[in-house]
Amino acid sequence: MDMFDEKTLYNNMENKQTKNAETENSAVSLFIKYMERHNENATFKDIRRDPNKEANADIMATGEGYTKTFFEIKSTKAKEKYWGRISFGEILSALDAVKKGYDYFFVIIRVEQTDNDFQFICPEKAKYRPCLTLEEMLTFTNGKFSFGIDFIVRYNTKGNNLLTYAEDTDDYQSYTIDNLKEKRVLIEMISKNDHS
């Protein structure tokens, strides 16, 4: 039997997507529980499947201390480095936050094998640890521009549920807020077909 036949490839892809979905579900659930524990007067809602959501994000927070805040969760089980993508829809939501009167953050969570075991991946110098601004995420983008912008982080264990970014010799600082604003028309055009 050909190990690269169409059925095998399809099954492998299905398995990978299922594992990715499980990791994302775990990360979203863990973050909501974490935030509820630390913010008793706020409400955190999973809005991933809400067709009327105001921003391209996973979670919306409202209540005391939150005018309206959106969180995009990036989840991984990677042990040493994490590759991911910021979709153009997420970029537009982050760029439009001030204009539309909400806050928008990215949160990177490494999920372990057990349900309640997780760590945030976050630089020590982040302004709102463990929540990262678009500008902070862009310092780790690698210049690839196709239905989103790829990012790569390598990390070191520091404890306290936080993993800090490792200093890296590769130059990932390819994008800035300014050059995304310059590309905005292209981003808007492509994001109309972006459902991530």
Side-chain angles (χ1 to χ4, degrees):
M1 180 179 126
D2 183 359
M3 63 185 287
F4 296 107
D5 64 39
E6 190 174 328
K7 184 178 178 185
T8 303
L9 289 172
Y10 176 80
N11 288 339
N12 288 343
M13 192 175 6
E14 283 283 296
N15 289 339
K16 186 174 182 190
Q17 287 173 343
T18 301
K19 286 178 185 174
N20 290 344
E22 287 169 3
T23 304
E24 181 185 348
N25 289 338
S26 294
V28 167
S29 174
L30 289 166
F31 185 69
I32 288 174
K33 287 176 190 169
Y34 174 87
M35 294 300 279
E36 285 174 341
R37 215 169 35 246
H38 293 86
N39 302 270
E40 292 178 3
N41 298 319
T43 302
F44 298 87
K45 182 181 175 188
D46 182 345
I47 59 168
R48 288 177 292 168
R49 289 167 189 83
D50 182 349
N52 301 313
K53 61 186 178 182
E54 213 176 310
N56 191 328
D58 296 321
I59 296 167
M60 181 177 75
T62 54
E64 192 176 311
Y66 295 91
T67 308
K68 191 177 279 185
T69 306
F70 293 94
F71 300 94
E72 172 60 28
I73 307 300
K74 302 296 182 185
S75 57
T76 182
K77 286 190 174 181
K79 300 293 184 188
E80 295 176 3
K81 65 180 178 179
Y82 171 42
W83 171 91
R85 177 171 288 162
I86 309 168
S87 77
F88 285 153
E90 294 159 9
I91 290 167
L92 290 172
S93 291
L95 287 174
D96 289 342
V98 173
K99 183 171 69 176
K100 293 188 175 179
Y102 58 76
D103 291 321
Y104 191 98
F105 296 104
F106 295 89
V107 181
I108 305 174
I109 298 176
R110 187 180 80 178
V111 180
E112 292 286 358
Q113 298 303 319
T114 57
D115 280 349
N116 291 314
D117 197 0
F118 71 99
Q119 292 178 306
F120 294 111
I121 301 173
C122 183
E124 299 239 5
K125 61 185 178 182
K127 191 173 179 183
Y128 305 106
R129 291 195 314 158
C131 304
L132 307 176
T133 64
L134 175 60
E135 194 162 18
E136 287 166 338
M137 286 293 288
L138 291 176
T139 61
F140 291 90
T141 56
N142 66 5
K144 293 186 179 174
F145 188 88
S146 172
F147 291 96
I149 297 177
D150 295 345
F151 67 87
I152 300 173
V153 290
R154 291 172 170 79
Y155 39 87
N156 294 324
T157 303
K158 283 278 188 173
N160 292 331
N161 237 23
L162 291 175
L163 292 175
T164 55
Y165 290 124
E167 289 298 319
D168 201 38
T169 54
D170 296 332
D171 181 14
Y172 291 125
Q173 301 183 32
S174 303
Y175 284 101
T176 64
I177 299 291
D178 286 342
N179 60 29
L180 286 181
K181 286 178 179 174
E182 287 172 15
K183 292 179 182 286
R184 187 180 184 103
V185 173
L186 177 60
I187 290 171
E188 285 175 343
M189 182 182 72
I190 297 174
S191 70
K192 287 177 183 173
N193 299 315
D194 179 15
H195 303 292
S196 57

